[in-house]
Amino acid sequence: MSDLKEELKGKIIEQLNLEDLTVTEIADDEVLFGDGLGLDSIDALELIVMLDKDYGIKLADPKEGKAIFESVNSMAAYIEANRK
Amino acid sequence: MMKKVYINSVGSISSQKTFDNDEFLNDIINYHTTNISVVNPNYKEYLDAGSARRMAKGIKMGVVASKIAMDEAGVESVDAVITGTGMGCVIDSEKFVSRLIDNNEEYLTPTSFIQSTHNTVGGQIALGIQCKGYNFTYVHSSSSFESALIDAKLQLTLDEASTILVGGIDELGPHMIQVHGLIKHIKQEKTIDNLAILNSGTEGAVFSEGANFFVLSNGKENTCYAELVDVEILNTLSKERLEQQVRSFLNQNKMTINDVDVIVLGNNGDVSFDEYYSVLTNGLFKNTQHTAYKHLSGEFKTVSSFGFWLGAKMLKTQSIPQIVKLNDNAPKAIKNVLIYNQYRGENHTFVMLRTC
Amino acid sequence: MGASIAITGMGMLSAIGNNVQENYDSLVQGKTGISKISRLSTIHKDSIMVGEIPYTNSAMEAMLGLPKNHSFSRTSLLGSLAAKQAVASAGIRDISKYKTGLISASTVGGMDMTEQYYYDYLENETHRRFIKEHPLGDGTNKIAQQIGLNESLVTTISTACSSAANAIIMGSRLIKAGKLDRVIVGGTDCLSKFTINGFKTLMILSDTYNTPFDENRKGLNLGEAAAYIVLESDKIVKAENRKVLGYVKGYGNTNDAFHQTASSENGDGATAAMEKTLKVAGVNPSQVDYINAHGTATPNNDLSEGRAIIRVFGKKVPPFSSTKAFTGHTLAAAGGVEAIYSILALQNNTIFPNLNFKTQMKEFNITPETHLVEKELQMVLSNSLGFGGNCTSVLFSKEP
């Protein structure tokens, strides 16, 4: 699980061009959207594609992403439960 | 009552070190390739990491050049933002098309699609300065920037707006360079001396990129560079009809050939199309001071915004850098500057600037 | 607004017709142009629906009489046909008799060719003539050539989905300022894999017929279209004894300055654009008889635009409908298509139905017109909202 979390942090940084951040600077429970890391709706769409491409999980409705992408913790838990 | 229009500030990012407004081509860079990039300012000084992270180079150039111009004019916002770009956001477009083909339409992400929209720079500037006013983007080859100028000038003259940010932006992308080499729109020479390019005698141009922004206003400020007297664009024009069109442009501004102190020409060293400029330098403007700039800036669809920058700078400083002179007919004082450009024989533009 | 801007000609092709009359007939008969995609090859063909124009490229080449090795993209073919229709319908015989310009709008340009030959260009010479056709301006220049416009003000506007509406604004301003006597304005965009996949990544494409202003709307259908109108000054109208179809009474463009793609929740930009338009026209909200809404059927647009309409019109919202369920969202052409529909509404005193509406949106209580309504119309407002926060309204009127 912690490996998955590290992996996700790396992917978030790379996929979303957060070049000033390092993996260690993102806490597992840090809020990713809004006030926390400052991600927005375009980032959510990027993350939806990442779920599909890297973990085989398809989301049909972008609204579903809201709860899943709350933090690295919630993402990892969702992936563990749904990955193929 | 028609109001006059003034260029109150400039912001230029080009292949020369032009982003510092205190300088005027003091220190020239020569290039030896047929596609050249800009001299980048430190973008981080102007953009926070959050807003910059999705921006391809052209968007950064555009947003930062607009900030330089707004800083100099001492304004925090404007009534309207009008941009011109001949190719749009090439880097993101290429990224999206190539991924679309490479991945057979699967696993595509939205960022490059969103950023590829032609009005991205205009939209980003508005978002950054929270300008909720008029926001237009013209995408018409080598008259994109002048289209934006015409729009701005009409609004300022009719007093529909009082301060407008106008700019031209184009960026280079790898595929664009490749394919324009194949059709010989880019010169075929392996190495080239850019400062001598205007006499190359070969076909094609040296491709480049840049962003030039200006704060235009119908009120003259202390920072004023020049008055924008008139702008004209013509989709087609033959060499035989060129002088006639120049005359009527001068006529509509109640001017004669002798009123023009300096002519800024768009020569890019393409032997097939530079003859247009020779028509004027051997004809109507034989005894006028001739200047050119594409040996410094390279060629891109909105490069005439760099010519506009040059004209404005010459008027403000009342000086003509040696490096842009094509002949030696320097006037005692520079009052009127005519800028003429075309690309591959199409989209001809005339701009008249005057001291303010 | 000072000098009046007369509309004296119209021309268009869309998924519901190859000319203005066919479009009108489909609107009146409630006949949608949305279907499964047939012409473009895309892996999404079973998961999306579009508004396609049935003509093949070769059919249009023949209609325009182009030589074999021409370099027209589909965008330029559609645009040329529509612009020629517009010029003909205005009764223009000698286009250079008056100072004439062309302002065309596009977002796709030659992308249909670029995506087809992107790698082929590198290997083979055969299709390299299309490289120069990629940028939007080259397509516009081709359209100018087709209508015989030389040594003229010809330019292109690209502000995403509000592009053609903005071309109408700029054309009107050029006439108002006396810089030109006549301007042909509008837009053209063909369907391409680029835009289909782009909108797909934004997850705003519907897998079925789009349903503007419906509570359960799932997103938009893309469409292709070209639509142009001829704007003329009072001078030409008088001298040529023109039949005037309608007038551009007012216009406004603003920026939402909220987000790159989404509209602000309360439609600040759209509200400001409509208010500015009414102010320029010097009319009260109560004088507007019908609104041809942008109504793309995305969750975000319809909520934002609906709220903006309520903010401008208060308790007296005029009848409104979106015609996107007929044509799909035709991007840069949409403002031109809907300008013509607005003028047809005025000419025929008819409000076109908002197809596919079933369930009232819960956020507000305004409801689109779902049936064809005959009603005396004096003024019609048309909205066009786009990426980059771009918001445009244009007011069309029967009288100057």
Side-chain angles (χ1 to χ4, degrees), chain A residues 30-40:
Chain A
E30 184 168 355
V31 177
L32 298 178
F33 285 77
D35 291 341
L37 210 53
L39 303 187
D40 64 14

Side-chain angles (χ1 to χ4, degrees), chain B residues 5-8 220-228 312 315-316 318 334-335 353-356:
Chain B
V5 176
Y6 301 97
I7 306 165
N8 278 339
K220 186 170 131 184
E221 299 297 329
N222 291 334
T223 52
C224 185
Y225 279 71
E227 181 196 340
L228 170 59
L315 283 162
K316 182 167 181 167
Q318 285 293 308
I334 312 169
K335 187 154 185 275
L353 301 181
R354 184 170 294 157
T355 44
C356 60

Side-chain angles (χ1 to χ4, degrees), chain B residues 257-277:
Chain B
I257 303 299
N258 294 330
D259 293 323
V260 178
D261 303 302
V262 178
I263 178 163
V264 177
L265 300 157
N267 296 55
N268 62 10
D270 185 334
V271 72
S272 311
F273 298 98
D274 274 0
E275 282 175 23
Y276 274 97
Y277 306 106

